[in-house]
Amino acid sequence: MSTVRRPDHRSDHRSARSARTAGLRHVLTHLITPLLMCIGMGLAYLGAFAHPAPHHLPVAVVGSGPSAQLLAQSINDKADGDLDVRTVADRSAAVDRLRHQDIFGAYVIPGESQQAAKASKDVKGAQSAHGVGRAAGASSGPAGRSGAGGAAGSAAPVPELLVATAGSDTSATVAQKVFTPIAAHQGAPLKVTDVAPPAEDDPTGQGIFFLLVAISIGSYASVAVIGGAGAVLPLRLRTALALGVSFVVALIGTAFAGPVFHLVDHGLGGLWALAWLYSAGILLIGTGLHTFLKRWTTLGVMTLFVMLNFTSSGGIFRPEMQNGFFAALHSFWNGAGFVEGTRSHVYFDGYGLPGHVWTLAGWLVVGLLTVGVAALAEKRRRTAEAEETAQAAAVAAAAVAATVPEPALAAPVHGAGGAAVALEEGEEEMAEAVGV
């Protein structure tokens, strides 16, 4: 009597459950990257922008008399470290310091600038002939005094606040909030004069920051493509691709800043050079890091060039409005070099520009060094893999020769399996890089 063997459904269920478990583990592992991005972006952006407050923000009171000294000391005492108030001799000196971004607001006390100008004119007038001066006074006489009195009556001196919004609109706003109540206490409206306004189509001056964002995304997203799709290419060719992409990204950024959105109305050549230095540094660093980080490269470059970069660039809040960590990063990070370098080039006659260019050049050098270290690592890896392959082939050949009469059947199977695994790993890495 024959027996029919029933199929083992329990075995099929176990196989399906095992496949689902492996697939779920695979998905959960890959979800680590976006979750870490969420945590990092929250910590960086909220830590940098959530509670902006001045920390020793430099402002000035214009005047050399006791009233200016007393007002500056009084504001310093009440500010409790939020402001760094100093005095400058006259209005022209205040304008010069604003254009050098040594201060971010200068309060001109009513009558101080007129007194300084009068003193200067008195010195020059003392050199003229006494008879000519008397004749001029007799000819003008009462009419001249009444005219001066009428001018004074019709245009009485009012307190004035000098700012440079191209350097930082938010810092200028803080300075205005500080000195508006002081002017109101003196019974006069505050006149605000912008000595370095931004472009007409960029009234807040923050367009440069958003230009930084566009160039950064084009740069670090290209790193994922060059590292993923170009992983089979030699590092020398990947480096050339990175430099070429940085050239194109800088051109796109310059087009956005100039003819498209008119954020900058002059100096586009210098802007392109700054954008290229900035983009090339990101692409070279990312290309070199991919050799070591593989599928974690996207998270790495986002940490360096988004989380720590945008928040310390000074595009929204200058370092005087941030905590010590991001203020310290501002002094050497590449985003700050691009933003401050562009401001200096476009709005402040190039003052301080060499230092910002050196900052960007330093990051470019770091990128070249990273690529060099990656080249050495890849060379050692290829040498080790070649030695392991040769040793494994020799062992396999000896074993086959000793035991199997037909040795040609075993080796191709191993090679095909290894190629399949390598292809699968490459496709998985590329899919993840492009997806992120």
Side-chain angles (χ1 to χ4, degrees):
M1 184 174 178
S2 62
T3 60
V4 179
R5 193 170 187 179
R6 296 180 180 180
D8 189 358
H9 296 293
R10 290 177 297 178
S11 177
D12 295 340
H13 287 311
R14 284 194 297 268
S15 298
R17 189 182 303 115
S18 177
R20 285 195 299 269
T21 302
L24 181 60
R25 185 184 303 112
H26 183 76
V27 172
L28 292 177
T29 301
H30 284 72
L31 282 174
I32 293 175
T33 299
L35 292 177
L36 289 176
M37 289 180 181
C38 177
I39 294 172
M41 294 288 281
L43 290 174
Y45 275 75
L46 295 178
F49 298 147
H51 299 288
H55 301 282
H56 301 284
L57 181 70
V59 294
V61 174
V62 178
S64 56
S67 59
Q69 296 285 347
L70 183 61
L71 179 59
Q73 186 60 47
S74 175
I75 298 173
N76 263 330
D77 293 340
K78 294 179 180 179
D80 193 23
D82 293 341
L83 302 174
D84 181 11
V85 188
R86 70 282 306 268
T87 59
V88 293
D90 52 34
R91 190 179 187 279
S92 62
V95 171
D96 184 64
R97 292 201 178 189
L98 282 166
R99 292 190 179 277
H100 289 173
Q101 299 190 75
D102 295 330
I103 57 176
F104 296 95
Y107 182 73
V108 183
I109 300 175
E112 286 285 345
S113 58
Q114 289 85 347
Q115 291 175 8
K118 182 177 181 298
S120 177
K121 290 180 180 179
D122 288 344
V123 172
K124 295 179 180 179
Q127 300 174 357
S128 62
H130 180 70
V132 174
R134 179 179 298 179
S139 62
S140 57
R145 289 193 294 271
S146 64
S154 61
V158 296
E160 181 184 17
L161 177 64
L162 306 176
V163 295
T165 55
S168 174
D169 181 70
T170 52
S171 298
T173 301
V174 170
Q176 189 170 349
K177 289 182 178 180
V178 169
F179 289 107
T180 297
I182 297 175
H185 181 72
Q186 294 175 346
L190 180 64
K191 175 186 175 183
V192 179
T193 302
D194 193 349
V195 301
E200 183 178 353
D201 291 324
D202 184 23
T204 64
Q206 295 178 2
I208 294 175
F209 170 75
F210 295 107
L211 177 64
L212 169 78
V213 173
I215 295 173
S216 301
I217 292 176
S219 301
Y220 79 75
S222 299
V223 168
V225 177
I226 294 174
V232 297
L233 300 175
L235 183 59
R236 180 173 59 255
L237 184 54
R238 279 179 278 153
T239 302
L241 284 173
L243 292 174
V245 169
S246 66
F247 183 91
V248 176
V249 169
L251 283 178
I252 294 173
T254 304
F256 282 154
V260 178
F261 293 105
H262 307 288
L263 304 176
V264 174
D265 53 11
H266 65 280
L268 291 179
L271 174 62
W272 176 87
L274 292 170
W276 179 80
L277 279 173
Y278 174 73
S279 178
I282 293 176
L283 276 153
L284 289 177
I285 291 174
T287 300
L289 287 179
H290 187 271
T291 300
F292 308 99
L293 301 182
K294 299 298 183 184
R295 69 184 185 89
W296 299 102
T297 304
T298 301
L299 178 61
V301 294
M302 282 194 68
T303 301
L304 290 174
F305 305 120
V306 176
M307 301 176 192
L308 299 178
N309 189 28
F310 295 170
T311 50
S312 64
S313 66
I316 302 296
F317 297 113
R318 283 192 54 84
E320 294 85 2
M321 297 292 295
Q322 295 183 293
N323 60 47
F325 175 73
F326 292 102
L329 291 182
H330 181 85
S331 62
F332 65 92
W333 218 256
N334 60 342
F338 175 77
V339 169
E340 299 296 351
T342 302
R343 285 172 174 167
S344 175
H345 170 62
V346 176
Y347 297 121
F348 295 100
D349 300 324
Y351 181 81
L353 180 59
H356 303 310
V357 171
W358 278 113
T359 297
L360 295 175
W363 281 83
L364 181 64
V365 170
V366 171
L368 292 172
L369 292 176
T370 305
V371 170
V373 174
L376 293 176
E378 290 189 5
K379 182 178 180 181
R380 292 180 179 178
R381 189 179 302 167
R382 287 193 302 268
T383 302
E385 289 176 353
E387 292 176 353
E388 291 178 0
T389 301
Q391 185 177 3
V395 172
V400 169
T403 58
V404 181
E406 295 180 1
L409 298 177
V413 175
H414 176 75
V421 171
L423 179 60
E424 182 179 354
E425 290 179 351
E427 290 177 350
E428 179 181 341
E429 182 183 347
M430 179 57 193
E432 181 174 353
V434 173
V436 172

